[in-house]
Amino acid sequence: MSRSLFDKYGGFASVSKVVSAFYDKAVESDIIGPYFDDIDMRSQVDHQTKFISSLMGGPASYSDEALQKVHSGLHIDRTSFEEMARLLHETLEDFSFERSGVDQIMHEINSRADIVITRHDS
Ligand code: HEM
């Protein structure tokens, strides 16, 4: 593979647009919107941009350990995780990402489910 997805889709400038569109959907969601009620969205978009960029082979990176730490107090269940993943998937399609790119990013996201989910449905 010669170019990373990150370069192919236009670097940080483009990725941050995707992330903003994704968060617009997230805050509107009845399932996960409430998690973001008290969060400064600008810093969220900033951090999430770095994370998604790293999944696409860009320069920034986020360790699994850091990810676990941030989400540990948030009591995220599987339903909420899946809603988040669904909205991200939808956003990538809105921006006409190719199928292989979408699959790669969703694989990276889904492989972190056990790190982010801390509340288990009974
Ligand atoms: C694999 C999936 C996910 C990834 C990659 C991810 C990534 C991130 C990152 C990078 C941050 C910023 C950390 C920082 O400020 O340094 C963050 C914060 C946050 N995430 Fe996630 N997240 C995921 C899933 C979720 C889900 C499913 C929810 C809720 C339903 C959620 C809710 C939040 C909230 C509320 C914060 C802000 C925490 C705070 O600032 O106190 N995340 N996430």
Side-chain angles (χ1 to χ4, degrees), residues 23 31-32 35-36 39-40 43-44 47-48 51-52 55 62 66-67 70-71 74 76-77 80-82 84-85 108-110 112-113 116:
Y23 267 108
I31 299 174
I32 60 171
Y35 282 98
F36 297 95
I39 305 295
D40 167 14
S43 72
Q44 269 289 294
H47 280 108
Q48 198 80 339
F51 184 82
I52 304 231
L55 299 184
Y62 238 95
L67 214 54
V70 201
H71 296 93
L74 296 175
I76 294 169
D77 59 16
S80 302
F81 183 87
E82 284 171 1
M84 176 77 114
E108 295 291 336
I109 293 285
N110 286 323
R112 273 132 180 122
V116 172

PDB file of all heavy atoms in Angstrom, residues 23 31-32 35-36 39-40 43-44 47-48 51-52 55 62 66-67 70-71 74 76-77 80-82 84-85 108-110 112-113 116, ligand 1:
ATOM      1  N   TYR A  23     -19.833  14.141  15.082  1.00  0.00           N
ATOM      2  CA  TYR A  23     -20.292  14.622  16.386  1.00  0.00           C
ATOM      3  C   TYR A  23     -21.628  15.329  16.329  1.00  0.00           C
ATOM      4  O   TYR A  23     -22.409  15.263  17.280  1.00  0.00           O
ATOM      5  CB  TYR A  23     -19.227  15.488  17.069  1.00  0.00           C
ATOM      6  CG  TYR A  23     -18.390  14.623  17.958  1.00  0.00           C
ATOM      7  CD1 TYR A  23     -17.095  14.304  17.624  1.00  0.00           C
ATOM      8  CD2 TYR A  23     -18.943  14.056  19.099  1.00  0.00           C
ATOM      9  CE1 TYR A  23     -16.350  13.448  18.408  1.00  0.00           C
ATOM     10  CE2 TYR A  23     -18.220  13.201  19.884  1.00  0.00           C
ATOM     11  CZ  TYR A  23     -16.911  12.903  19.545  1.00  0.00           C
ATOM     12  OH  TYR A  23     -16.199  12.058  20.316  1.00  0.00           O
ATOM     13  N   ILE A  31     -29.632   8.028  22.185  1.00  0.00           N
ATOM     14  CA  ILE A  31     -28.874   7.034  22.961  1.00  0.00           C
ATOM     15  C   ILE A  31     -27.567   7.606  23.509  1.00  0.00           C
ATOM     16  O   ILE A  31     -27.267   7.477  24.684  1.00  0.00           O
ATOM     17  CB  ILE A  31     -28.577   5.777  22.108  1.00  0.00           C
ATOM     18  CG1 ILE A  31     -29.905   5.131  21.665  1.00  0.00           C
ATOM     19  CG2 ILE A  31     -27.725   4.773  22.882  1.00  0.00           C
ATOM     20  CD1 ILE A  31     -29.740   3.975  20.695  1.00  0.00           C
ATOM     21  N   ILE A  32     -26.776   8.252  22.661  1.00  0.00           N
ATOM     22  CA  ILE A  32     -25.469   8.712  23.160  1.00  0.00           C
ATOM     23  C   ILE A  32     -25.365  10.224  23.344  1.00  0.00           C
ATOM     24  O   ILE A  32     -24.415  10.692  23.972  1.00  0.00           O
ATOM     25  CB  ILE A  32     -24.290   8.199  22.283  1.00  0.00           C
ATOM     26  CG1 ILE A  32     -24.421   8.681  20.834  1.00  0.00           C
ATOM     27  CG2 ILE A  32     -24.164   6.701  22.373  1.00  0.00           C
ATOM     28  CD1 ILE A  32     -23.175   8.383  20.007  1.00  0.00           C
ATOM     29  N   TYR A  35     -24.429  11.701  26.839  1.00  0.00           N
ATOM     30  CA  TYR A  35     -23.048  11.580  27.337  1.00  0.00           C
ATOM     31  C   TYR A  35     -22.263  12.866  27.101  1.00  0.00           C
ATOM     32  O   TYR A  35     -21.287  13.148  27.781  1.00  0.00           O
ATOM     33  CB  TYR A  35     -22.300  10.455  26.605  1.00  0.00           C
ATOM     34  CG  TYR A  35     -22.634   9.068  27.092  1.00  0.00           C
ATOM     35  CD1 TYR A  35     -23.562   8.278  26.430  1.00  0.00           C
ATOM     36  CD2 TYR A  35     -21.996   8.542  28.216  1.00  0.00           C
ATOM     37  CE1 TYR A  35     -23.854   7.001  26.857  1.00  0.00           C
ATOM     38  CE2 TYR A  35     -22.281   7.259  28.654  1.00  0.00           C
ATOM     39  CZ  TYR A  35     -23.215   6.495  27.972  1.00  0.00           C
ATOM     40  OH  TYR A  35     -23.503   5.240  28.403  1.00  0.00           O
ATOM     41  N   PHE A  36     -22.702  13.609  26.103  1.00  0.00           N
ATOM     42  CA  PHE A  36     -21.916  14.776  25.710  1.00  0.00           C
ATOM     43  C   PHE A  36     -22.473  16.104  26.207  1.00  0.00           C
ATOM     44  O   PHE A  36     -21.964  17.161  25.872  1.00  0.00           O
ATOM     45  CB  PHE A  36     -21.763  14.797  24.175  1.00  0.00           C
ATOM     46  CG  PHE A  36     -21.008  13.598  23.673  1.00  0.00           C
ATOM     47  CD1 PHE A  36     -21.681  12.475  23.224  1.00  0.00           C
ATOM     48  CD2 PHE A  36     -19.618  13.574  23.732  1.00  0.00           C
ATOM     49  CE1 PHE A  36     -20.992  11.343  22.819  1.00  0.00           C
ATOM     50  CE2 PHE A  36     -18.920  12.449  23.325  1.00  0.00           C
ATOM     51  CZ  PHE A  36     -19.610  11.336  22.865  1.00  0.00           C
ATOM     52  N   ILE A  39     -19.801  18.217  27.962  1.00  0.00           N
ATOM     53  CA  ILE A  39     -18.447  18.147  27.409  1.00  0.00           C
ATOM     54  C   ILE A  39     -18.213  19.296  26.427  1.00  0.00           C
ATOM     55  O   ILE A  39     -19.083  19.642  25.643  1.00  0.00           O
ATOM     56  CB  ILE A  39     -18.250  16.799  26.668  1.00  0.00           C
ATOM     57  CG1 ILE A  39     -18.561  15.604  27.580  1.00  0.00           C
ATOM     58  CG2 ILE A  39     -16.849  16.690  26.108  1.00  0.00           C
ATOM     59  CD1 ILE A  39     -17.643  15.438  28.760  1.00  0.00           C
ATOM     60  N   ASP A  40     -17.027  19.861  26.530  1.00  0.00           N
ATOM     61  CA  ASP A  40     -16.632  20.917  25.598  1.00  0.00           C
ATOM     62  C   ASP A  40     -16.394  20.275  24.219  1.00  0.00           C
ATOM     63  O   ASP A  40     -15.413  19.566  24.020  1.00  0.00           O
ATOM     64  CB  ASP A  40     -15.362  21.589  26.139  1.00  0.00           C
ATOM     65  CG  ASP A  40     -14.695  22.492  25.095  1.00  0.00           C
ATOM     66  OD1 ASP A  40     -15.348  22.810  24.069  1.00  0.00           O
ATOM     67  OD2 ASP A  40     -13.554  22.878  25.318  1.00  0.00           O
ATOM     68  N   SER A  43     -12.945  20.620  22.202  1.00  0.00           N
ATOM     69  CA  SER A  43     -11.796  19.784  22.555  1.00  0.00           C
ATOM     70  C   SER A  43     -12.064  18.330  22.192  1.00  0.00           C
ATOM     71  O   SER A  43     -11.155  17.574  21.847  1.00  0.00           O
ATOM     72  CB  SER A  43     -11.429  19.939  24.028  1.00  0.00           C
ATOM     73  OG  SER A  43     -12.382  19.324  24.840  1.00  0.00           O
ATOM     74  N   GLN A  44     -13.324  17.930  22.223  1.00  0.00           N
ATOM     75  CA  GLN A  44     -13.697  16.586  21.787  1.00  0.00           C
ATOM     76  C   GLN A  44     -13.345  16.357  20.325  1.00  0.00           C
ATOM     77  O   GLN A  44     -12.740  15.362  19.968  1.00  0.00           O
ATOM     78  CB  GLN A  44     -15.222  16.419  21.911  1.00  0.00           C
ATOM     79  CG  GLN A  44     -15.656  15.863  23.222  1.00  0.00           C
ATOM     80  CD  GLN A  44     -15.275  14.417  23.315  1.00  0.00           C
ATOM     81  OE1 GLN A  44     -15.765  13.585  22.590  1.00  0.00           O
ATOM     82  NE2 GLN A  44     -14.363  14.133  24.195  1.00  0.00           N
ATOM     83  N   HIS A  47      -9.600  16.055  19.860  1.00  0.00           N
ATOM     84  CA  HIS A  47      -9.022  14.775  20.267  1.00  0.00           C
ATOM     85  C   HIS A  47      -9.443  13.635  19.346  1.00  0.00           C
ATOM     86  O   HIS A  47      -8.649  12.784  18.985  1.00  0.00           O
ATOM     87  CB  HIS A  47      -9.457  14.424  21.696  1.00  0.00           C
ATOM     88  CG  HIS A  47      -8.665  15.136  22.720  1.00  0.00           C
ATOM     89  ND1 HIS A  47      -9.189  16.148  23.474  1.00  0.00           N
ATOM     90  CD2 HIS A  47      -7.380  15.009  23.097  1.00  0.00           C
ATOM     91  CE1 HIS A  47      -8.253  16.599  24.283  1.00  0.00           C
ATOM     92  NE2 HIS A  47      -7.145  15.925  24.082  1.00  0.00           N
ATOM     93  N   GLN A  48     -10.708  13.655  19.006  1.00  0.00           N
ATOM     94  CA  GLN A  48     -11.225  12.580  18.178  1.00  0.00           C
ATOM     95  C   GLN A  48     -10.586  12.616  16.787  1.00  0.00           C
ATOM     96  O   GLN A  48     -10.355  11.586  16.173  1.00  0.00           O
ATOM     97  CB  GLN A  48     -12.749  12.733  18.087  1.00  0.00           C
ATOM     98  CG  GLN A  48     -13.460  11.500  17.652  1.00  0.00           C
ATOM     99  CD  GLN A  48     -13.654  10.507  18.788  1.00  0.00           C
ATOM    100  OE1 GLN A  48     -12.961  10.544  19.793  1.00  0.00           O
ATOM    101  NE2 GLN A  48     -14.575   9.597  18.618  1.00  0.00           N
ATOM    102  N   PHE A  51      -7.413  10.888  17.045  1.00  0.00           N
ATOM    103  CA  PHE A  51      -7.601   9.445  17.143  1.00  0.00           C
ATOM    104  C   PHE A  51      -7.913   8.833  15.781  1.00  0.00           C
ATOM    105  O   PHE A  51      -7.272   7.876  15.349  1.00  0.00           O
ATOM    106  CB  PHE A  51      -8.714   9.096  18.130  1.00  0.00           C
ATOM    107  CG  PHE A  51      -8.842   7.619  18.301  1.00  0.00           C
ATOM    108  CD1 PHE A  51      -8.000   6.951  19.174  1.00  0.00           C
ATOM    109  CD2 PHE A  51      -9.721   6.897  17.527  1.00  0.00           C
ATOM    110  CE1 PHE A  51      -8.056   5.580  19.289  1.00  0.00           C
ATOM    111  CE2 PHE A  51      -9.786   5.521  17.636  1.00  0.00           C
ATOM    112  CZ  PHE A  51      -8.954   4.859  18.520  1.00  0.00           C
ATOM    113  N   ILE A  52      -8.898   9.413  15.110  1.00  0.00           N
ATOM    114  CA  ILE A  52      -9.306   8.850  13.814  1.00  0.00           C
ATOM    115  C   ILE A  52      -8.158   8.966  12.811  1.00  0.00           C
ATOM    116  O   ILE A  52      -7.944   8.068  12.001  1.00  0.00           O
ATOM    117  CB  ILE A  52     -10.581   9.553  13.297  1.00  0.00           C
ATOM    118  CG1 ILE A  52     -11.669   9.416  14.369  1.00  0.00           C
ATOM    119  CG2 ILE A  52     -11.001   9.002  11.931  1.00  0.00           C
ATOM    120  CD1 ILE A  52     -12.990   8.917  13.964  1.00  0.00           C
ATOM    121  N   LEU A  55      -5.921   6.088  13.241  1.00  0.00           N
ATOM    122  CA  LEU A  55      -6.473   4.847  12.679  1.00  0.00           C
ATOM    123  C   LEU A  55      -6.265   4.786  11.181  1.00  0.00           C
ATOM    124  O   LEU A  55      -6.205   3.723  10.583  1.00  0.00           O
ATOM    125  CB  LEU A  55      -7.986   4.745  12.943  1.00  0.00           C
ATOM    126  CG  LEU A  55      -8.467   4.719  14.379  1.00  0.00           C
ATOM    127  CD1 LEU A  55      -9.966   4.526  14.406  1.00  0.00           C
ATOM    128  CD2 LEU A  55      -7.782   3.615  15.145  1.00  0.00           C
ATOM    129  N   TYR A  62      -3.065   7.529  19.646  1.00  0.00           N
ATOM    130  CA  TYR A  62      -3.697   7.455  20.952  1.00  0.00           C
ATOM    131  C   TYR A  62      -3.501   6.051  21.471  1.00  0.00           C
ATOM    132  O   TYR A  62      -3.875   5.090  20.807  1.00  0.00           O
ATOM    133  CB  TYR A  62      -5.201   7.738  20.805  1.00  0.00           C
ATOM    134  CG  TYR A  62      -5.672   8.905  21.624  1.00  0.00           C
ATOM    135  CD1 TYR A  62      -5.781  10.177  21.088  1.00  0.00           C
ATOM    136  CD2 TYR A  62      -6.000   8.731  22.971  1.00  0.00           C
ATOM    137  CE1 TYR A  62      -6.198  11.245  21.849  1.00  0.00           C
ATOM    138  CE2 TYR A  62      -6.419   9.794  23.736  1.00  0.00           C
ATOM    139  CZ  TYR A  62      -6.515  11.046  23.165  1.00  0.00           C
ATOM    140  OH  TYR A  62      -6.919  12.097  23.925  1.00  0.00           O
ATOM    141  N   ALA A  66      -4.559   5.124  27.224  1.00  0.00           N
ATOM    142  CA  ALA A  66      -5.120   6.468  27.365  1.00  0.00           C
ATOM    143  C   ALA A  66      -6.628   6.431  27.106  1.00  0.00           C
ATOM    144  O   ALA A  66      -7.416   7.054  27.819  1.00  0.00           O
ATOM    145  CB  ALA A  66      -4.449   7.426  26.389  1.00  0.00           C
ATOM    146  N   LEU A  67      -7.013   5.657  26.124  1.00  0.00           N
ATOM    147  CA  LEU A  67      -8.418   5.538  25.744  1.00  0.00           C
ATOM    148  C   LEU A  67      -9.239   4.944  26.891  1.00  0.00           C
ATOM    149  O   LEU A  67     -10.338   5.398  27.195  1.00  0.00           O
ATOM    150  CB  LEU A  67      -8.495   4.620  24.525  1.00  0.00           C
ATOM    151  CG  LEU A  67      -9.559   4.917  23.496  1.00  0.00           C
ATOM    152  CD1 LEU A  67      -9.479   6.343  23.019  1.00  0.00           C
ATOM    153  CD2 LEU A  67      -9.402   3.958  22.326  1.00  0.00           C
ATOM    154  N   VAL A  70      -9.715   7.584  29.799  1.00  0.00           N
ATOM    155  CA  VAL A  70     -10.708   8.642  29.573  1.00  0.00           C
ATOM    156  C   VAL A  70     -12.141   8.130  29.726  1.00  0.00           C
ATOM    157  O   VAL A  70     -13.007   8.855  30.179  1.00  0.00           O
ATOM    158  CB  VAL A  70     -10.689   9.188  28.124  1.00  0.00           C
ATOM    159  CG1 VAL A  70     -11.303  10.549  28.050  1.00  0.00           C
ATOM    160  CG2 VAL A  70      -9.348   9.149  27.505  1.00  0.00           C
ATOM    161  N   HIS A  71     -12.382   6.895  29.283  1.00  0.00           N
ATOM    162  CA  HIS A  71     -13.758   6.404  29.270  1.00  0.00           C
ATOM    163  C   HIS A  71     -14.150   5.667  30.537  1.00  0.00           C
ATOM    164  O   HIS A  71     -15.315   5.342  30.725  1.00  0.00           O
ATOM    165  CB  HIS A  71     -13.984   5.499  28.057  1.00  0.00           C
ATOM    166  CG  HIS A  71     -13.833   6.218  26.744  1.00  0.00           C
ATOM    167  ND1 HIS A  71     -12.672   6.261  26.046  1.00  0.00           N
ATOM    168  CD2 HIS A  71     -14.707   6.966  26.032  1.00  0.00           C
ATOM    169  CE1 HIS A  71     -12.812   6.989  24.953  1.00  0.00           C
ATOM    170  NE2 HIS A  71     -14.036   7.442  24.918  1.00  0.00           N
ATOM    171  N   LEU A  74     -17.230   6.711  32.555  1.00  0.00           N
ATOM    172  CA  LEU A  74     -18.401   7.146  31.785  1.00  0.00           C
ATOM    173  C   LEU A  74     -19.535   6.116  31.711  1.00  0.00           C
ATOM    174  O   LEU A  74     -20.606   6.410  31.216  1.00  0.00           O
ATOM    175  CB  LEU A  74     -17.972   7.535  30.360  1.00  0.00           C
ATOM    176  CG  LEU A  74     -17.024   8.735  30.252  1.00  0.00           C
ATOM    177  CD1 LEU A  74     -16.574   8.931  28.809  1.00  0.00           C
ATOM    178  CD2 LEU A  74     -17.684  10.007  30.757  1.00  0.00           C
ATOM    179  N   ILE A  76     -20.112   3.394  29.904  1.00  0.00           N
ATOM    180  CA  ILE A  76     -20.605   3.164  28.543  1.00  0.00           C
ATOM    181  C   ILE A  76     -20.984   1.691  28.375  1.00  0.00           C
ATOM    182  O   ILE A  76     -20.199   0.810  28.714  1.00  0.00           O
ATOM    183  CB  ILE A  76     -19.519   3.564  27.519  1.00  0.00           C
ATOM    184  CG1 ILE A  76     -19.299   5.086  27.597  1.00  0.00           C
ATOM    185  CG2 ILE A  76     -19.917   3.133  26.106  1.00  0.00           C
ATOM    186  CD1 ILE A  76     -18.080   5.568  26.843  1.00  0.00           C
ATOM    187  N   ASP A  77     -22.204   1.446  27.882  1.00  0.00           N
ATOM    188  CA  ASP A  77     -22.625   0.063  27.646  1.00  0.00           C
ATOM    189  C   ASP A  77     -22.508  -0.284  26.150  1.00  0.00           C
ATOM    190  O   ASP A  77     -22.190   0.568  25.325  1.00  0.00           O
ATOM    191  CB  ASP A  77     -24.044  -0.198  28.183  1.00  0.00           C
ATOM    192  CG  ASP A  77     -25.079   0.723  27.549  1.00  0.00           C
ATOM    193  OD1 ASP A  77     -24.782   1.331  26.502  1.00  0.00           O
ATOM    194  OD2 ASP A  77     -26.187   0.830  28.096  1.00  0.00           O
ATOM    195  N   SER A  80     -24.629   1.720  23.604  1.00  0.00           N
ATOM    196  CA  SER A  80     -24.097   3.050  23.307  1.00  0.00           C
ATOM    197  C   SER A  80     -22.884   2.948  22.386  1.00  0.00           C
ATOM    198  O   SER A  80     -22.716   3.750  21.461  1.00  0.00           O
ATOM    199  CB  SER A  80     -23.695   3.765  24.599  1.00  0.00           C
ATOM    200  OG  SER A  80     -24.808   3.862  25.449  1.00  0.00           O
ATOM    201  N   PHE A  81     -22.050   1.950  22.650  1.00  0.00           N
ATOM    202  CA  PHE A  81     -20.877   1.761  21.791  1.00  0.00           C
ATOM    203  C   PHE A  81     -21.315   1.487  20.355  1.00  0.00           C
ATOM    204  O   PHE A  81     -20.776   2.053  19.402  1.00  0.00           O
ATOM    205  CB  PHE A  81     -20.019   0.596  22.313  1.00  0.00           C
ATOM    206  CG  PHE A  81     -18.772   0.396  21.510  1.00  0.00           C
ATOM    207  CD1 PHE A  81     -17.615   1.103  21.813  1.00  0.00           C
ATOM    208  CD2 PHE A  81     -18.762  -0.451  20.408  1.00  0.00           C
ATOM    209  CE1 PHE A  81     -16.469   0.950  21.046  1.00  0.00           C
ATOM    210  CE2 PHE A  81     -17.627  -0.609  19.628  1.00  0.00           C
ATOM    211  CZ  PHE A  81     -16.474   0.097  19.956  1.00  0.00           C
ATOM    212  N   GLU A  82     -22.311   0.626  20.223  1.00  0.00           N
ATOM    213  CA  GLU A  82     -22.774   0.275  18.877  1.00  0.00           C
ATOM    214  C   GLU A  82     -23.423   1.452  18.160  1.00  0.00           C
ATOM    215  O   GLU A  82     -23.290   1.603  16.947  1.00  0.00           O
ATOM    216  CB  GLU A  82     -23.707  -0.944  18.932  1.00  0.00           C
ATOM    217  CG  GLU A  82     -22.888  -2.209  19.137  1.00  0.00           C
ATOM    218  CD  GLU A  82     -23.714  -3.454  19.416  1.00  0.00           C
ATOM    219  OE1 GLU A  82     -24.956  -3.361  19.434  1.00  0.00           O
ATOM    220  OE2 GLU A  82     -23.095  -4.517  19.626  1.00  0.00           O
ATOM    221  N   MET A  84     -22.563   4.561  18.604  1.00  0.00           N
ATOM    222  CA  MET A  84     -21.420   5.384  18.200  1.00  0.00           C
ATOM    223  C   MET A  84     -20.802   4.841  16.903  1.00  0.00           C
ATOM    224  O   MET A  84     -20.538   5.587  15.955  1.00  0.00           O
ATOM    225  CB  MET A  84     -20.384   5.356  19.338  1.00  0.00           C
ATOM    226  CG  MET A  84     -19.111   6.067  19.075  1.00  0.00           C
ATOM    227  SD  MET A  84     -19.386   7.810  19.245  1.00  0.00           S
ATOM    228  CE  MET A  84     -18.396   8.188  20.650  1.00  0.00           C
ATOM    229  N   ALA A  85     -20.598   3.531  16.865  1.00  0.00           N
ATOM    230  CA  ALA A  85     -20.001   2.906  15.688  1.00  0.00           C
ATOM    231  C   ALA A  85     -20.914   3.079  14.463  1.00  0.00           C
ATOM    232  O   ALA A  85     -20.451   3.371  13.360  1.00  0.00           O
ATOM    233  CB  ALA A  85     -19.739   1.422  15.956  1.00  0.00           C
ATOM    234  N   GLU A 108     -10.797  -1.019  13.255  1.00  0.00           N
ATOM    235  CA  GLU A 108      -9.990  -0.424  14.337  1.00  0.00           C
ATOM    236  C   GLU A 108     -10.872   0.030  15.498  1.00  0.00           C
ATOM    237  O   GLU A 108     -10.534  -0.157  16.668  1.00  0.00           O
ATOM    238  CB  GLU A 108      -9.192   0.780  13.810  1.00  0.00           C
ATOM    239  CG  GLU A 108      -8.135   0.441  12.779  1.00  0.00           C
ATOM    240  CD  GLU A 108      -6.967  -0.338  13.385  1.00  0.00           C
ATOM    241  OE1 GLU A 108      -6.737  -0.237  14.594  1.00  0.00           O
ATOM    242  OE2 GLU A 108      -6.291  -1.063  12.630  1.00  0.00           O
ATOM    243  N   ILE A 109     -12.006   0.634  15.177  1.00  0.00           N
ATOM    244  CA  ILE A 109     -12.940   1.085  16.212  1.00  0.00           C
ATOM    245  C   ILE A 109     -13.482  -0.115  16.994  1.00  0.00           C
ATOM    246  O   ILE A 109     -13.392  -0.167  18.224  1.00  0.00           O
ATOM    247  CB  ILE A 109     -14.122   1.883  15.590  1.00  0.00           C
ATOM    248  CG1 ILE A 109     -13.641   3.215  15.002  1.00  0.00           C
ATOM    249  CG2 ILE A 109     -15.239   2.103  16.610  1.00  0.00           C
ATOM    250  CD1 ILE A 109     -13.317   4.296  16.005  1.00  0.00           C
ATOM    251  N   ASN A 110     -14.010  -1.083  16.255  1.00  0.00           N
ATOM    252  CA  ASN A 110     -14.652  -2.227  16.915  1.00  0.00           C
ATOM    253  C   ASN A 110     -13.688  -3.046  17.759  1.00  0.00           C
ATOM    254  O   ASN A 110     -14.079  -3.624  18.769  1.00  0.00           O
ATOM    255  CB  ASN A 110     -15.356  -3.114  15.880  1.00  0.00           C
ATOM    256  CG  ASN A 110     -16.631  -2.452  15.373  1.00  0.00           C
ATOM    257  OD1 ASN A 110     -17.346  -1.799  16.133  1.00  0.00           O
ATOM    258  ND2 ASN A 110     -16.920  -2.610  14.089  1.00  0.00           N
ATOM    259  N   ARG A 112     -11.692  -1.948  19.713  1.00  0.00           N
ATOM    260  CA  ARG A 112     -11.502  -1.294  21.014  1.00  0.00           C
ATOM    261  C   ARG A 112     -12.747  -1.357  21.905  1.00  0.00           C
ATOM    262  O   ARG A 112     -12.792  -0.712  22.954  1.00  0.00           O
ATOM    263  CB  ARG A 112     -11.091   0.164  20.822  1.00  0.00           C
ATOM    264  CG  ARG A 112      -9.590   0.279  20.680  1.00  0.00           C
ATOM    265  CD  ARG A 112      -9.220   1.123  19.511  1.00  0.00           C
ATOM    266  NE  ARG A 112      -7.791   1.244  19.367  1.00  0.00           N
ATOM    267  CZ  ARG A 112      -7.146   0.876  18.269  1.00  0.00           C
ATOM    268  NH1 ARG A 112      -7.784   0.322  17.269  1.00  0.00           N
ATOM    269  NH2 ARG A 112      -5.839   1.056  18.176  1.00  0.00           N
ATOM    270  N   ALA A 113     -13.727  -2.137  21.487  1.00  0.00           N
ATOM    271  CA  ALA A 113     -14.978  -2.195  22.261  1.00  0.00           C
ATOM    272  C   ALA A 113     -14.730  -2.530  23.735  1.00  0.00           C
ATOM    273  O   ALA A 113     -15.259  -1.863  24.626  1.00  0.00           O
ATOM    274  CB  ALA A 113     -15.927  -3.220  21.634  1.00  0.00           C
ATOM    275  N   VAL A 116     -13.523   0.406  25.861  1.00  0.00           N
ATOM    276  CA  VAL A 116     -14.417   1.547  26.073  1.00  0.00           C
ATOM    277  C   VAL A 116     -15.675   1.161  26.876  1.00  0.00           C
ATOM    278  O   VAL A 116     -16.172   1.952  27.672  1.00  0.00           O
ATOM    279  CB  VAL A 116     -14.809   2.153  24.690  1.00  0.00           C
ATOM    280  CG1 VAL A 116     -15.886   3.200  24.844  1.00  0.00           C
ATOM    281  CG2 VAL A 116     -13.583   2.749  23.999  1.00  0.00           C
TER     282      VAL A 116
HETATM  283  C1  HEM B   1     -13.746   3.071  19.920  1.00  0.00           C
HETATM  284  C2  HEM B   1     -14.640   4.014  20.224  1.00  0.00           C
HETATM  285  C3  HEM B   1     -14.220   5.317  20.823  1.00  0.00           C
HETATM  286  C4  HEM B   1     -13.093   6.051  20.630  1.00  0.00           C
HETATM  287  C5  HEM B   1     -11.951   5.734  19.697  1.00  0.00           C
HETATM  288  C6  HEM B   1     -13.161   7.211  21.464  1.00  0.00           C
HETATM  289  C7  HEM B   1     -12.182   8.188  21.558  1.00  0.00           C
HETATM  290  C8  HEM B   1     -12.182   9.227  22.456  1.00  0.00           C
HETATM  291  C9  HEM B   1     -11.119  10.177  22.627  1.00  0.00           C
HETATM  292  C10 HEM B   1      -9.813  10.195  21.824  1.00  0.00           C
HETATM  293  C11 HEM B   1     -11.491  11.033  23.602  1.00  0.00           C
HETATM  294  C12 HEM B   1     -10.739  12.275  24.085  1.00  0.00           C
HETATM  295  C13 HEM B   1      -9.860  11.980  25.214  1.00  0.00           C
HETATM  296  C14 HEM B   1      -9.199  13.226  25.733  1.00  0.00           C
HETATM  297  O1  HEM B   1      -9.895  14.218  26.019  1.00  0.00           O
HETATM  298  O2  HEM B   1      -7.975  13.206  25.844  1.00  0.00           O
HETATM  299  C15 HEM B   1     -12.788  10.612  24.059  1.00  0.00           C
HETATM  300  C16 HEM B   1     -13.498  11.214  25.060  1.00  0.00           C
HETATM  301  C17 HEM B   1     -14.814  10.932  25.359  1.00  0.00           C
HETATM  302  N1  HEM B   1     -15.559   9.890  24.844  1.00  0.00           N
HETATM  303 FE1  HEM B   1     -14.942   8.543  23.520  1.00  0.00          FE
HETATM  304  N2  HEM B   1     -14.338   7.182  22.146  1.00  0.00           N
HETATM  305  C18 HEM B   1     -15.011   6.046  21.785  1.00  0.00           C
HETATM  306  C19 HEM B   1     -16.237   5.637  22.217  1.00  0.00           C
HETATM  307  C20 HEM B   1     -17.065   6.394  23.009  1.00  0.00           C
HETATM  308  C21 HEM B   1     -18.459   6.077  23.301  1.00  0.00           C
HETATM  309  C22 HEM B   1     -19.195   4.827  22.798  1.00  0.00           C
HETATM  310  C23 HEM B   1     -18.927   7.093  24.083  1.00  0.00           C
HETATM  311  C24 HEM B   1     -20.290   7.337  24.674  1.00  0.00           C
HETATM  312  C25 HEM B   1     -21.362   6.721  24.297  1.00  0.00           C
HETATM  313  C26 HEM B   1     -17.825   8.030  24.306  1.00  0.00           C
HETATM  314  C27 HEM B   1     -17.893   9.163  25.052  1.00  0.00           C
HETATM  315  C28 HEM B   1     -16.842   9.997  25.322  1.00  0.00           C
HETATM  316  C29 HEM B   1     -16.937  11.154  26.215  1.00  0.00           C
HETATM  317  C30 HEM B   1     -18.196  11.629  26.957  1.00  0.00           C
HETATM  318  C31 HEM B   1     -15.650  11.729  26.248  1.00  0.00           C
HETATM  319  C32 HEM B   1     -15.213  12.974  27.024  1.00  0.00           C
HETATM  320  C33 HEM B   1     -14.635  12.622  28.342  1.00  0.00           C
HETATM  321  C34 HEM B   1     -14.245  13.882  29.110  1.00  0.00           C
HETATM  322  O3  HEM B   1     -13.746  14.826  28.486  1.00  0.00           O
HETATM  323  O4  HEM B   1     -14.435  13.886  30.311  1.00  0.00           O
HETATM  324  N3  HEM B   1     -16.705   7.570  23.635  1.00  0.00           N
HETATM  325  N4  HEM B   1     -13.192   9.531  23.347  1.00  0.00           N
END
